[in-house]
Amino acid sequence: MTALSKIIKNLLPGIFLFGFTVGTGSVTAMAKAGADYGMSLLWAILISCVITYFLIQLFGKFTLQTGLTALQAFKQHIHPAVSLFFIVALTTQVCGSVMGVMGIIADVCFEWSKQFIEGGIAPIYFALFFSTFVYLVFLVGKTDVFQQVLAVLVAIMALCFLVNFIMLMPPLSDIALGLVPNIPDTGPDKSSFLVVASMVGTTVFSGLFILRSILVLEAKWTVEDMKTQKKDALFSAFLMFVVSMSIMAAGTGALYAQGIQLTHVTQMVTLLEPLAGQVAVTIFTLGLIAAGISSQFPNVALLPWLLDDYNKRKTDLKRTHYRIIALIISLLGLVVPIFEAKPISVMIASQAFGALILPATVASIFYVGNKRKVMKTHVFGFITNAALVLIFAFALVMSYMSINGIIATVQSV
């Protein structure tokens, strides 16, 4: 194995998590933030990525030191009901995400196809094609295949959004000011609370950290691989920040500069062309497709992973009932095109719901990480505990903002 191959192999779990996190949900949340508020909410991305790095490496470290995944530890040392809560809550969020993701991809592809075919190709055909592709890859049933496919999609996504960022880069002064925490003033039809909560919900995603511990165990890493898993976590969080900032900048350049709110992601397609040309539209669309598909693989496989982990079984995605579960979840991707629902509303609500699960995740790892029976000589120290308390407080604030934003959105309908 060459040095480059070894580096890529060691980074695959982090690339996998990045692909899981920066899906169409992130594109929606970041693009909407940029369209509605410019770069003023960049601070929320930075804080979210710092927290994500800390928790990714903490959950990985926990598994290396105890030999237990997070879900197994919660089941054995808190209560089985806690693990079941996470399985139900995360599956519910993922189902909403699958519907929103495929709805957005299908709509954007439909709008994009109008450049080549008069009237375009109906969204349902795109949704059916991509849902089938994801399900066929799932049928292979191997995590390493998932990781390799995701690595390719992540490379395409990152490259596309970075090129868009260069084309639409806002003034550096705006980027600098965006790193200063503030909540922008909103009008009656806006909710910065919901947008911030959805940004945090899609980046600081509880399923990410629980899945991290499963992937660390599957990678057969040991305590000797502690530095590797920290580098892997840092690489994943760094990519999240750079790509998320690039998407926000695209929303700022295409919509915010013209005073247009983002109500549908297809606006990015129609408004980018006169601003940056057809090439920019094609690059953005390819990036969006790669982002959506990269998050669909883990979305479809998450419940089977969690169930095997809960039952302390070796992961086997080829089980017949798992294939049926994956098929049902994949078919949810057809809901938005068939019933003509608003995918952006589904995605924002789904990501905001994620912010509600975060406090429970932080509280649970705090509890088991301070039990000497579990951690032996590796009980969390003062700095780790202090960081977790601050993150828990931040998570409560995000939950409050999420609830306020959802209420405001419902009232405005």
Side-chain angles (χ1 to χ4, degrees):
M1 183 181 292
T2 65
L4 180 60
S5 298
K6 187 175 181 181
I7 291 172
I8 293 174
K9 183 179 179 181
N10 286 336
L11 292 177
L12 275 178
I15 292 173
F16 186 88
L17 294 180
F18 169 72
F20 191 10
T21 305
V22 185
T24 312
S26 285
V27 175
T28 302
M30 305 310 167
K32 183 167 181 59
D36 290 358
Y37 309 107
M39 299 299 291
S40 63
L41 293 178
L42 185 58
W43 62 269
I45 296 178
L46 179 61
I47 292 176
S48 296
C49 289
V50 170
I51 291 174
T52 298
Y53 162 70
F54 176 79
L55 291 177
I56 286 176
Q57 65 85 24
L58 184 67
F59 274 74
K61 182 180 178 181
F62 174 86
T63 297
L64 292 179
Q65 291 176 335
T66 65
L68 294 171
T69 65
L71 212 59
Q72 292 168 4
F74 299 162
K75 177 184 177 182
Q76 292 178 30
H77 300 284
I78 304 180
H79 195 279
V82 175
S83 291
L84 291 174
F85 160 76
F86 282 113
I87 292 174
V88 172
L90 293 174
T91 301
T92 300
Q93 185 183 0
V94 158
C95 287
S97 178
V98 167
M99 288 188 281
V101 164
M102 203 52 69
I104 289 171
I105 292 176
D107 278 358
V108 169
C109 287
F110 165 63
E111 198 65 37
W112 183 48
S113 67
K114 290 179 182 178
Q115 298 179 20
F116 314 103
I117 300 174
E118 187 176 350
I121 300 172
I124 185 64
Y125 294 115
F126 285 110
L128 190 60
F129 172 77
F130 289 122
S131 295
T132 301
F133 172 69
V134 171
Y135 184 65
L136 289 176
V137 174
F138 175 86
L139 291 180
V140 175
K142 294 181 179 179
T143 302
D144 59 340
V145 173
F146 271 29
Q147 290 179 337
Q148 289 165 13
V149 172
L150 253 70
V152 174
L153 291 170
V154 162
I156 294 171
M157 169 177 54
L159 181 62
C160 288
F161 287 134
L162 283 173
V163 170
N164 262 132
F165 174 70
I166 293 169
M167 288 177 148
L168 299 165
M169 189 170 70
L172 292 177
S173 58
D174 288 355
I175 295 176
L177 287 173
L179 295 173
V180 179
N182 74 96
I183 298 295
D185 293 331
T186 58
D189 55 347
K190 283 186 178 182
S191 175
S192 58
F193 288 126
L194 186 58
V195 172
V196 171
S198 67
M199 289 166 66
V200 174
T202 189
T203 306
V204 192
F205 172 44
S206 295
L208 193 67
F209 314 125
I210 290 172
L211 184 57
R212 171 64 170 188
S213 63
I214 297 173
L215 292 176
V216 165
L217 207 61
E218 280 200 8
K220 296 180 180 178
W221 284 349
T222 65
V223 177
E224 294 178 357
D225 297 300
M226 194 72 74
K227 287 185 178 180
T228 299
Q229 85 96 13
K230 283 186 177 180
K231 289 178 182 177
D232 176 71
L234 182 60
F235 178 71
S236 179
F238 174 74
L239 278 180
M240 286 178 200
F241 177 73
V242 172
V243 172
S244 296
M245 179 179 67
S246 300
I247 298 167
M248 179 182 279
T252 300
L255 303 176
Y256 181 72
Q258 301 180 55
I260 302 173
Q261 288 187 47
L262 181 66
T263 56
H264 205 292
V265 179
T266 54
Q267 289 174 271
M268 293 291 291
V269 175
T270 55
L271 292 169
L272 265 178
E273 185 169 2
L275 188 69
Q278 195 177 71
V279 173
V281 173
T282 300
I283 291 171
F284 179 82
T285 303
L286 291 175
L288 187 73
I289 292 171
I293 301 304
S294 72
S295 65
Q296 288 296 72
F297 286 122
N299 279 343
V300 168
L302 184 63
L303 181 56
W305 263 322
L306 294 178
L307 290 175
D308 273 343
D309 187 36
Y310 179 82
N311 292 296
K312 297 193 75 171
R313 296 188 302 231
K314 180 178 174 57
T315 301
D316 183 4
L317 300 179
K318 294 182 179 180
R319 301 180 201 276
T320 302
H321 56 290
Y322 285 171
R323 291 182 168 181
I324 294 172
I325 289 172
L327 177 62
I328 293 171
I329 293 176
S330 295
L331 290 174
L332 290 176
L334 305 180
V335 169
V336 170
I338 290 175
F339 295 100
E340 297 183 351
K342 289 184 178 180
I344 196 165
S345 299
V346 175
M347 281 309 309
I348 292 293
S350 172
Q351 302 306 335
F353 179 68
L356 298 175
I357 307 173
L358 184 58
T361 308
V362 177
S364 297
I365 196 67
F366 179 87
Y367 178 78
V368 295
N370 282 284
K371 287 195 73 170
R372 195 163 294 278
K373 181 181 178 182
V374 181
M375 303 299 295
K376 304 284 190 299
T377 58
H378 302 293
V379 174
F380 289 169
F382 174 78
I383 294 177
T384 298
N385 284 326
L388 285 173
V389 169
L390 289 174
I391 293 171
F392 181 73
F394 178 74
L396 288 179
V397 172
M398 289 300 104
S399 294
Y400 171 77
M401 293 173 72
S402 176
I403 293 169
N404 273 358
I406 292 172
I407 292 173
T409 301
V410 170
Q411 291 176 341
S412 66
V413 173

